[in-house]
Amino acid sequence: MKANNGRSGGQNYGELMFYERAAKILETLEQRKGSIKALTVGNSNLDPQEKPLMYALICQTLKYASVLAEIVNANPSVKDEKLGRRLELLLAHDLLFSKSGLRRKGANLKLNKAVSRHQSSLKAQLNKLRTDRNVESDEDLIPQHLQDEDTWTFRYARVNLLNTTIDKVKQQLSEDNYEEVAASREDMRSALSKRTRKYAHDPDLEDVLVFPPGTELHKSQLYRTASIILQDKASCIPAHVLRPPPGSHVIDACAAPGNKTSHMASIMNNQGKIFAFDKDRRRLSTLVNLTDKAKCKIIEAKCADFLEVDPQDPTYADVEYMLLDPSCSGSGIVNRLDMLVDSYIAMVNGSNEKKPEVNQERLQSLAEFQAAVILHAMQFPKVKRISYSTCSVHEEENEAVVAQVLASQNAFTLAPADQVIPSWPRRGLQTAGLSAEQAASLVRTLPEDGTNGFFVACFVRGASASFNVTPRKRKELQTTASVPADANTGNKKPKNKGKYGESRKKKSAAEEPAKSANARERQTKSPLKVALSAKHKGKKRPKRKSSVVGT
């Protein structure tokens, strides 16, 4: 079987039938060679009509895996069929839990018959489990950590103020039988329990509504008309922190897929100009489609590498605000599907399986790139406010980058805490190079807060301050930092010019050796890389001192 790269389907199933293909997918998941979505809905070797069925079967089998294993193991006669563990689980799931029973179309009927012979004994064991555990539904048999609401993020909907008003959205929700509840941050979990048609107005962001975990809004009229944008609360924070006023000029440096871009357009009331950069043409096309649907009229999409944009270009002479959300490890993203896989692998390996360790070299490389993006943004002459964010929980990509940027120049400082969502209690970590006051001006979110893990910092230019990097940093800014190959991005170099603006200029053969030499020198002498290496070399990481308030 051809290994899957985790981004697109690539399995060669040959003549395998439906449940056998599903077993191969389980095997690949056990080896951590792909994600559930990539191996099912993103798998080019599956029939399009089969993809959603395969996705549902894999997810449900993983969810009930421990229950199914207990039932099958209590029936030795099933083992005599020599189906193998994966087929046993898959077939037993559809036999016991699927409303339509075992699938016949595209399935190996011999396998179906092999498990169907034991239907009575398997159902008897299921009933025994229900009685022994005193549960009212099959879902209550699922392990607690997979049904624990504290592991779920809320469903958030941002009101698109270019298309409607908050009052109109609430009126439509009322007509759709949703009830608004008043809930503090502390009471949100109990007020918005799963499977209830309730919602609350977010206590921190005025254009965000909060729904119970798992609420399905994709089919709603509000979503179809782009009156609401389904966007995690944490992802809404950067635009609120930046707060570009109507009429201003803004750069979104790493813009695709475009939710933050459209959010800024909403805050600016479609007045001014937003230059949205992304160097991947496919991702930029997604941004154009998304922002067009959201009725954004002030966005100029540019297929280009932001690090190669000249800060002195007259096109950007009036840019005063920058939103930077560069490639990162994505370690803060809460993925319910990953939890299913982790739980399944732990069961298979007797709970001894450990998650892959964090790749420190990769984090260092990402941090170098992130710092370069911020320092490049600071070179634009009129820029006075910069929002920097990541969907990472790692200090190396967050506080360490901020500390390095502050130490590398003298024009920008951190905005005070009362300008950076002051009502939000979880603040930054007081780490090397940051004072307690500076850490308190940073924003962190974690899954336990009901959001994805996120980090936001806001840099502001000092009065009459001009950008001037320290001598140690000057050489680094002469070359372009590169994004690590496995970063949380789909970016590739564009090949041609197109409707999205200037593409990357091709380097001459004479320029390439010089660039490579500079890149090696930058990599060797980078202050951030030296600091990070020293931090982790030969000793355990020190305990972090957190400036979390009220949590």
Side-chain angles (χ1 to χ4, degrees):
M1 183 179 67
K2 183 178 179 182
N4 187 276
N5 62 13
R7 293 187 180 183
S8 61
Q11 289 182 305
N12 182 10
Y13 295 117
E15 299 301 321
L16 297 179
M17 306 296 276
F18 181 77
Y19 287 111
E20 295 161 304
R21 290 196 289 273
K24 285 293 185 183
I25 290 174
L26 285 185
E27 181 183 4
T28 306
L29 290 171
E30 290 172 26
Q31 298 167 352
R32 295 195 182 275
K33 290 184 178 179
S35 68
I36 294 176
K37 284 190 175 180
L39 295 169
T40 54
V41 294
N43 194 330
S44 59
N45 290 312
L46 291 178
D47 184 274
Q49 294 182 340
E50 187 179 276
K51 290 179 179 182
L53 300 173
M54 186 67 76
Y55 173 78
L57 172 62
I58 294 297
C59 288
Q60 291 301 310
T61 300
L62 293 178
K63 188 183 295 185
Y64 283 94
S66 61
V67 179
L68 292 165
E70 186 172 348
I71 292 172
V72 169
N73 291 336
N75 289 269
S77 58
V78 178
K79 295 291 183 182
D80 294 339
E81 301 289 349
K82 301 188 184 303
L83 298 172
R85 169 174 46 81
R86 301 181 190 97
L87 279 173
E88 289 171 355
L89 297 178
L90 292 161
L91 292 163
H93 171 272
D94 276 4
L95 185 69
L96 298 175
F97 297 115
S98 173
K99 292 181 180 179
S100 55
L102 287 167
R103 176 180 170 85
R104 295 182 59 84
K105 185 178 179 180
N108 184 334
L109 298 184
K110 290 183 178 180
L111 295 178
N112 287 14
K113 290 179 180 178
V115 74
S116 295
R117 282 194 285 266
H118 309 281
Q119 182 173 358
S120 297
S121 60
L122 290 171
K123 285 192 173 182
Q125 184 60 31
L126 173 59
N127 289 330
K128 184 177 184 300
L129 272 183
R130 291 172 180 152
T131 303
D132 291 347
R133 299 185 186 181
N134 192 28
V135 298
E136 296 181 359
S137 68
D138 290 336
E139 197 170 75
D140 293 331
L141 294 170
I142 297 170
Q144 185 62 40
H145 70 279
L146 294 181
Q147 56 176 302
D148 191 346
E149 292 183 16
D150 288 340
T151 65
W152 285 64
T153 60
F154 292 112
R155 166 67 80 183
Y156 294 95
R158 172 172 61 82
V159 177
N160 180 12
L161 299 176
L162 299 178
N163 204 19
T164 186
T165 66
I166 294 173
D167 288 341
K168 287 181 179 179
V169 168
K170 289 185 175 183
Q171 177 61 36
Q172 182 61 53
L173 287 171
S174 177
E175 293 175 9
D176 293 341
N177 297 318
Y178 280 92
E179 176 191 355
E180 182 178 6
V181 296
S184 65
R185 186 180 295 103
E186 294 75 18
D187 297 334
M188 201 72 76
R189 286 283 180 198
S190 57
L192 299 179
S193 57
K194 284 195 297 183
R195 295 183 291 276
T196 58
R197 295 183 72 84
K198 296 181 179 181
Y199 75 95
H201 205 140
D202 188 83
D204 306 295
L205 308 179
E206 63 268 22
D207 56 356
V208 174
L209 303 178
V210 192
F211 294 81
T215 300
E216 176 53 60
L217 294 170
H218 289 90
K219 297 179 181 179
S220 70
Q221 181 70 9
L222 289 170
Y223 175 77
R224 292 199 302 269
T225 58
S227 295
I228 59 172
I229 308 295
L230 301 184
Q231 184 175 357
D232 188 75
K233 173 180 178 173
S235 176
C236 295
I237 293 176
H240 274 289
V241 166
L242 192 63
R243 278 282 176 195
S248 56
H249 282 209
V250 184
I251 282 180
D252 189 346
C254 313
N259 277 337
K260 297 181 188 68
T261 320
S262 69
H263 193 186
M264 287 194 294
S266 178
I267 289 173
M268 295 165 65
N269 196 28
N270 256 346
Q271 299 174 40
K273 172 75 75 172
I274 299 174
F275 299 100
F277 288 93
D278 203 281
K279 63 181 182 179
D280 182 86
R281 190 170 299 278
R282 176 182 56 81
R283 285 167 53 82
L284 198 67
S285 177
T286 299
L287 177 145
V288 171
N289 293 334
L290 187 151
T291 54
D292 282 352
K293 181 181 177 182
K295 297 186 178 181
C296 302
K297 306 296 184 184
I298 61 172
I299 296 170
E300 184 173 330
K302 289 181 171 289
C303 189
D305 184 342
F306 172 68
L307 284 171
E308 294 189 357
V309 177
D310 182 2
Q312 304 304 320
D313 187 329
T315 306
Y316 314 112
D318 294 324
V319 170
E320 294 182 307
Y321 299 87
M322 288 265 196
L323 191 146
L324 311 178
D325 190 59
S327 303
C328 70
S329 65
S331 57
I333 300 298
V334 176
N335 191 325
R336 186 71 171 166
L337 300 182
D338 286 346
M339 294 175 64
L340 292 176
V341 175
D342 291 341
S343 177
Y344 171 69
I345 292 176
M347 182 199 78
V348 170
N349 295 336
S351 301
N352 293 323
E353 201 271 345
K354 295 181 180 179
K355 284 189 177 183
E357 292 184 2
V358 175
N359 187 328
Q360 293 297 336
E361 183 178 352
R362 176 174 180 252
L363 287 183
Q364 291 173 9
S365 183
L366 283 166
E368 280 293 306
F369 168 73
Q370 292 152 355
V373 170
I374 301 172
L375 290 167
H376 185 67
M378 290 176 172
Q379 295 183 80
F380 286 72
K382 282 194 176 181
V383 167
K384 60 183 181 182
R385 193 172 182 90
I386 298 171
S387 167
Y388 168 68
S389 59
T390 73
C391 52
S392 170
V393 297
H394 296 307
E395 181 184 334
E396 292 86 343
E397 299 177 88
N398 299 332
E399 288 87 356
V401 168
V402 170
Q404 178 62 27
V405 168
L406 292 175
S408 299
Q409 49 78 46
N410 54 14
F412 287 80
T413 59
L414 289 173
D418 61 7
Q419 294 182 20
V420 189
I421 318 295
S423 60
W424 183 253
R426 192 179 298 280
R427 314 308 287 191
L429 305 175
Q430 188 182 343
T431 187
L434 293 179
S435 66
E437 182 180 4
Q438 288 172 322
S441 71
L442 307 173
V443 169
R444 269 183 173 266
T445 67
L446 293 175
E448 61 201 71
D449 301 320
T451 72
N452 284 313
F454 222 79
F455 174 84
V456 183
C458 184
F459 297 93
V460 291
R461 190 187 292 272
S464 303
S466 59
F467 182 79
N468 182 28
V469 296
T470 60
R472 297 182 69 188
K473 202 71 181 174
R474 185 168 285 113
K475 277 190 177 182
E476 295 179 45
L477 294 174
Q478 293 172 355
T479 58
T480 300
S482 59
V483 187
D486 59 348
N488 185 34
T489 176
N491 289 350
K492 296 179 182 178
K493 295 181 182 179
K495 295 181 179 179
N496 305 300
K497 279 186 178 182
K499 65 179 180 179
Y500 304 123
E502 293 292 327
S503 64
R504 181 196 298 255
K505 294 180 180 179
K506 188 175 182 180
K507 302 294 182 183
S508 68
E511 291 176 303
E512 288 299 334
K515 180 179 177 180
S516 298
N518 284 336
R520 285 194 298 271
E521 182 175 4
R522 182 180 73 250
Q523 190 176 29
T524 303
K525 292 189 174 183
S526 163
L528 181 60
K529 187 163 288 187
V530 170
L532 288 167
S533 297
K535 181 177 180 181
H536 298 292
K537 187 175 181 180
K539 61 179 181 179
K540 293 182 179 179
R541 293 182 63 171
K543 292 184 178 180
R544 299 173 180 173
K545 181 178 179 182
S546 173
S547 56
V548 175
V549 179
T551 56

